[in-house]
Amino acid sequence: SGKADIGAGGITITEDRKKNVDFSDVYATAAQLIIVKDDSDIAGPDDLKGKSIGVQLGTTGDLYASEYEADGSTVERYGKGFEAVQALLQGKIDAVVIDQEPAKVFVNENEGIKLLDEPLTSEDYAYVIKKGNTELVEKVNKALAELTEAGEIQSIIDKYSSEE
């Protein structure tokens, strides 16, 4: 909308988004993981067909889970990720698709649920920059390269995405 020059915060690079914004270099890679109840018969992404899947509205988990609707799945959208996890715990849905780091926290904090070994997707995070602002893209990429080389990016990721 032109209200900002840059955006940050776990923003996934997608082809659709590339039409409207430019991206910095990738600073982290993440995954969309599947949370199920301990006794679930869902063992991997293929088993989501025909199931009810909880997601956080507007996230890439929402986008990827929506692809299963053609196979008879129902996608239940929640304002917050923990609301989807609560619905799973209450037996209202069969699975939750969500970013890997919150997924780990939810599973560690709630008994009776687990993460599947196979992720639904893998995705790259980058800063979004106002379309056409190549000067800012170059400056951000230079800073990212320096921070990566110095180990700062990994230090930040480790600090804020621990399982504890």
Side-chain angles (χ1 to χ4, degrees):
S1 69
K3 294 180 183 177
D5 292 312
I6 191 168
I11 301 172
T12 304
I13 299 171
T14 67
E15 291 305 312
D16 193 47
R17 290 175 178 166
K18 285 181 180 180
K19 296 174 188 171
N20 299 307
V21 296
D22 290 331
F23 284 95
S24 70
D25 291 339
V26 172
Y27 66 82
T29 299
Q32 291 294 313
L33 300 184
I34 303 167
I35 304 173
V36 296
K37 291 180 107 176
D38 286 342
D39 61 355
S40 175
D41 63 348
I42 299 171
D46 288 342
D47 297 330
L48 291 174
K49 294 174 183 173
K51 303 291 185 181
S52 57
I53 307 165
V55 298
Q56 184 174 341
L57 178 67
T59 62
T60 50
D62 184 355
L63 176 72
Y64 296 126
S66 297
E67 295 175 8
Y68 286 84
E69 289 177 310
D71 294 322
S73 297
T74 304
V75 177
E76 300 292 335
R77 293 168 176 87
Y78 299 88
K80 304 277 184 196
F82 77 87
E83 294 170 346
V85 172
Q86 289 302 310
L88 176 65
L89 288 165
Q90 295 166 3
K92 295 178 179 178
I93 57 175
D94 299 311
V96 173
V97 171
I98 196 163
D99 286 340
Q100 69 185 13
E101 296 309 325
K104 292 175 187 177
V105 172
F106 290 135
V107 168
N108 284 337
E109 292 179 351
N110 295 279
E111 289 186 27
I113 58 175
K114 65 182 179 181
L115 289 171
L116 298 185
D117 292 333
E118 185 181 350
L120 182 65
T121 64
S122 178
E123 53 196 29
D124 293 325
Y125 290 161
Y127 291 96
V128 293
I129 299 165
K130 187 175 180 180
K131 195 90 174 147
N133 191 342
T134 54
E135 181 182 349
L136 185 55
V137 171
E138 290 169 6
K139 288 180 179 179
V140 169
N141 286 343
K142 182 176 186 257
L144 282 173
E146 291 170 2
L147 291 168
T148 299
E149 187 174 325
E152 289 297 317
I153 296 291
Q154 191 59 50
S155 175
I156 292 167
I157 290 169
D158 292 345
K159 179 178 179 178
Y160 291 102
S161 63
S162 68
E163 293 184 40
E164 287 110 35

